[in-house]
Amino acid sequence: MSAQSSPSGKPIERYDVVVVGAGFAGMYMLHKLRGQGFSARVYEQGDGVGGTWYWNRYPGARCDVESMQYSYSFSDELQREWDWSERYAPQPEILKYANHVADRFDLRRDIQFDTSVVSAAFDERASTWSVTLSGGATVIAKFVVLATGCLSNARMPEIKGLDGFKGKVYHTGHWPHETVDFTGQRVGVIGTGSSGIQLVPVIAEQASHLTVFQRTANFAIPARNAALTEQERQSVRSRYPEIRHFARVESRNGIYTEMPDRGALDDGDSDRRAKYEARWNHGGLTFMSVYNNLALDQTANDTAADFVREKIAEIVENPETAKQLQPNNHPIGSKRICVDTEYFAAFNRPNVTLVDIKSSPIEEITVNAVRTGGRDHEVDALVLATGFDAMTGSVAKIELRGRNGQTLNQKWAEGPRTYLGLMSAGFPNLFVITGPGSPSVLSNMIVSIEQHVDWIADCVAYVRDRGLHAIEASTDAEDKWVAHVNEVAATTLYPQANSWYMGANVPGKPRIFMPYIGGVGPYRQICNDVATKGYEGFVMTGKEQPRKMAAS
Ligand SMILES: Cc1cc2nc3c(=O)[nH]c(=O)nc-3n(C[C@H](O)[C@H](O)[C@H](O)COP(=O)(O)OP(=O)(O)OC[C@H]3O[C@@H](n4cnc5c(N)ncnc54)[C@H](O)[C@@H]3O)c2cc1C
């Protein structure tokens, strides 16, 4: 860091890189940049590290990628010394892990908490970003990295009367730090995506009555969560080189699993059923890896979807409730598949009621009830499991001004446009981690985060080492990449669902399939090839000679 005085006499802090956000992406970005000799400053609006796991403290919150894979791989010591207690770690343990990483790598001294980045403007003459923080201070950085998270902008539903509700209202993505005890209360949960599916069985055990308001039934596969034994941990550790390599290079979603070599229709009914049954009993996200064409072929997909619908009917005792819980308006997997623990069984409890708000939408929230179809469902507390303005929401909240004064929001008005999901033309030296146009939310995100961080750190070092001023995506490369992202998505069943991948959960948001579905392994190869070819598709400006960073 270096400082010089502003006209008012106040020192202006200058860094090589400003990183926005201290979740898993921002933390590793900081560590990596330090290792490359850069000065970096991280700004985090919360008062601690961990991002997703700092904010989403709702009961039942846990990862849906197995912990021994949903963890950093950049440090072999770290992955050997940390003991995950369960197959899918609960939120407090993942947050503890994030804090451990911050301590172990001494990250906190370069993170400023309780500070939002409000805006950033590119100075074309100096090739630096002027970054404005909550509180009004401005810092200068040569590069800005947005590690703002894909699922970090909690979406409040617009429901008439919500403000006038007299009980407590909680959003899963903004849960209080203190324990919330629903014992003896009548609780309403609005939303049955991943968060809702995780919390319903837990709240059902506390509440005197739980009313679940469901607009869309979702597919969920049992987690089969269990404590990990030391032997199981050691077994994974001993295979880490193979597991991590597979997740990075060979997999499509960053998860170590067998690669299916058959399509669902290549097997007869009983073989197929046996395979689904085995995966259902094994539990977890890899259910979708039974066959290689479940995301591509509607008839194949139907076989998996029918299997899960049958399971729901077996578990849920009331046939009418079972029917309502059976997803029927999207292919299985076209929305992020949920991983549950006793979700469907929770509806067999006498204190749990399902209300279908697709056929009878919520009319309003009164002081003590949710009104649907002219009927009041009285509740003492409301839990909004209504998700996020995904992928672009947190980026859009920052006023980012690139070349010619254009803002990123103006540029992305019809939907996000990036080259490789990493940069957007007209916004030099500005990177996004797991941004739209990259595999991102379709993957084990820590795998994707590490890949982006490594790539960005190398790219920034390339610019520094050649004495260049700026790197920027070319419009041509960006156009081709956007076309490719759309083309690949169109070959799959994904765009058929009204999902948050498509921005469909946010009224007025352009309907564009945002993540890149070409697969984690192939995507990494593309990014590596681009770098090897001297950052093909990017435009560099400035002199080709080694020199000190302009911002240092
Ligand atoms: C409940 C839940 C469960 C999940 N489970 C899994 C899972 O099992 N597997 C998986 O792969 N992924 C999972 N995810 C996705 C998860 O978001 C990623 O795995 C990962 O944690 C993202 O890390 P990140 O650092 O990119 O973003 P985040 O963790 O979202 O961190 C971003 C940080 O940036 C901060 N920030 C944003 N804007 C600003 C600003 N303007 N100024 C300052 N700070 C800002 C935020 O406060 C936040 O702390 C889950 C998400 C949720 C919500």
Side-chain angles (χ1 to χ4, degrees):
M1 192 258 285
S2 65
Q4 69 181 53
S5 291
S6 69
S8 66
K10 269 181 126 186
I12 299 177
E13 293 175 6
R14 299 173 78 91
Y15 302 95
D16 294 335
V17 189
V18 155
V19 179
V20 191
F24 283 132
M27 290 165 70
Y28 179 43
M29 192 75 243
L30 171 60
H31 175 68
K32 186 80 188 180
L33 288 167
R34 275 188 190 163
Q36 306 252 38
F38 290 103
S39 65
R41 187 75 168 159
V42 180
Y43 297 101
E44 166 56 55
Q45 62 196 4
D47 70 3
V49 297
T52 291
W53 307 102
Y54 170 93
W55 296 106
N56 291 264
R57 298 167 187 246
Y58 60 85
R62 60 179 71 243
C63 53
D64 58 14
V65 171
E66 295 186 25
S67 304
M68 294 211 61
Q69 296 197 54
Y70 184 69
S71 48
Y72 286 123
S73 70
F74 70 83
S75 159
D76 197 42
E77 295 78 25
L78 174 65
Q79 69 183 6
R80 290 193 177 279
E81 75 197 9
W82 184 265
D83 282 340
W84 291 108
S85 67
E86 294 175 52
R87 184 175 173 193
Y88 301 97
Q91 171 272 330
E93 187 172 333
I94 307 175
L95 184 58
K96 199 167 155 202
Y97 171 74
N99 278 284
H100 168 75
V101 172
D103 293 338
R104 194 187 190 290
F105 297 98
D106 189 21
L107 299 180
R108 287 178 217 279
R109 66 184 156 87
D110 287 322
I111 305 176
Q112 188 171 317
F113 293 107
D114 294 312
T115 307
S116 299
V117 167
V118 178
S119 63
F122 186 66
D123 178 339
E124 296 193 46
R125 198 186 44 78
S127 286
T128 54
W129 283 90
S130 178
V131 179
T132 305
L133 310 172
S134 50
T138 295
V139 298
I140 306 287
K142 175 108 175 153
F143 299 95
V144 173
V145 179
L146 301 176
T148 43
C150 293
L151 302 171
S152 56
N153 190 14
R155 202 183 74 77
M156 292 297 284
E158 282 166 26
I159 306 175
K160 188 177 152 199
L162 181 57
D163 288 347
F165 180 67
K166 287 284 176 257
K168 284 260 171 63
V169 179
Y170 304 94
H171 192 291
T172 51
H174 225 111
W175 202 261
H177 288 207
E178 60 278 6
T179 309
V180 178
D181 184 3
F182 291 110
T183 304
Q185 295 190 37
R186 295 168 303 174
V187 181
V189 171
I190 300 179
T192 53
S194 188
S195 303
I197 281 176
Q198 285 186 334
L199 63 75
V200 158
V202 185
I203 297 184
E205 298 214 337
Q206 293 176 0
S208 62
H209 196 89
L210 173 62
T211 310
V212 181
F213 298 91
Q214 172 190 275
R215 189 176 58 185
T216 308
N218 276 305
F219 290 98
I221 307 296
R224 313 279 179 215
N225 189 33
L228 283 173
T229 63
E230 186 50 28
Q231 201 185 5
E232 285 168 326
R233 280 193 291 266
Q234 285 308 343
S235 160
V236 174
R237 282 189 186 122
S238 66
R239 290 180 294 126
Y240 255 147
E242 178 204 341
I243 290 172
R244 299 298 202 186
H245 176 84
F246 182 93
R248 288 186 197 122
V249 177
E250 290 175 47
S251 77
R252 299 196 69 76
N253 59 6
I255 299 174
Y256 179 77
T257 182
E258 312 95 89
M259 292 289 257
D261 56 359
R262 296 168 72 75
L265 307 176
D266 297 336
D267 280 333
D269 279 355
S270 74
D271 284 352
R272 196 168 47 234
R273 191 168 179 92
K275 286 185 184 167
Y276 286 143
E277 197 73 50
R279 284 294 176 118
W280 177 267
N281 290 332
H282 176 73
L285 286 179
T286 60
F287 182 82
M288 288 304 287
S289 308
V290 180
Y291 292 112
N292 61 15
N293 59 348
L294 296 183
L296 305 173
D297 181 313
Q298 185 65 61
T299 315
N301 187 283
D302 287 343
T303 64
D306 285 344
F307 175 86
V308 175
R309 282 190 281 262
E310 280 171 34
K311 286 290 179 193
I312 295 169
E314 276 171 29
I315 298 167
V316 181
E317 288 158 9
N318 180 319
E320 189 49 38
T321 307
K323 195 151 185 280
Q324 285 176 11
L325 287 166
Q326 287 171 326
N328 58 16
N329 69 352
H330 60 279
I332 185 169
S334 60
K335 292 179 166 215
R336 189 170 172 115
I337 204 158
C338 303
V339 175
D340 80 287
T341 298
E342 303 295 316
Y343 172 67
F344 296 113
F347 292 91
N348 294 334
R349 299 176 62 107
N351 68 331
V352 178
T353 310
L354 181 68
V355 175
D356 172 16
I357 54 171
K358 184 86 157 183
S359 55
S360 300
I362 296 178
E363 289 152 22
E364 70 174 302
I365 292 178
T366 67
V367 288
N368 66 346
V370 179
R371 184 170 297 157
T372 70
R375 181 175 161 208
D376 280 2
H377 304 273
E378 288 191 9
V379 288
D380 304 309
L382 265 178
V383 174
L384 306 175
T386 44
F388 303 89
D389 183 352
M391 300 205 75
T392 53
S394 287
V395 173
K397 270 178 133 173
I398 307 172
E399 190 189 272
L400 294 159
R401 215 167 266 283
R403 285 198 193 283
N404 306 316
Q406 188 191 33
T407 67
L408 195 65
N409 285 337
Q410 286 166 341
K411 182 178 169 189
W412 286 8
E414 304 299 318
R417 298 185 72 77
T418 66
Y419 178 35
L420 300 175
L422 282 158
M423 294 192 100
S424 193
F427 295 80
N429 294 358
L430 176 76
F431 297 89
V432 192
I433 298 182
T434 61
S438 74
S440 184
V441 288
L442 295 177
S443 65
N444 172 353
M445 287 197 71
I446 299 196
V447 172
S448 291
I449 284 169
E450 288 189 332
Q451 184 249 332
H452 266 187
V453 167
D454 292 344
W455 194 95
I456 293 168
D458 287 347
C459 176
V460 168
Y462 181 97
V463 172
R464 171 190 62 187
D465 296 346
R466 282 160 184 76
L468 300 164
H469 297 319
I471 179 166
E472 177 180 354
S474 78
T475 307
D476 183 48
E478 180 172 287
D479 289 347
K480 286 186 180 135
W481 184 251
V482 170
H484 175 62
V485 171
N486 290 329
E487 210 173 77
V488 183
T491 63
T492 72
L493 302 173
Y494 277 82
Q496 290 188 22
N498 281 327
S499 65
W500 53 259
Y501 297 141
M502 296 283 291
N505 63 328
V506 179
K509 193 167 173 173
R511 299 280 176 104
I512 302 241
F513 191 76
M514 292 184 281
Y516 176 56
I517 204 172
V520 162
Y523 171 78
R524 175 183 295 262
Q525 191 58 52
I526 295 168
C527 292
N528 289 349
D529 290 347
V530 163
T532 308
K533 291 179 190 158
Y535 294 91
E536 190 179 49
F538 290 94
V539 181
M540 313 267 183
T541 48
K543 298 195 278 275
E544 274 274 350
Q545 61 174 19
R547 67 186 177 100
K548 259 189 115 217
M549 298 277 300
S552 321

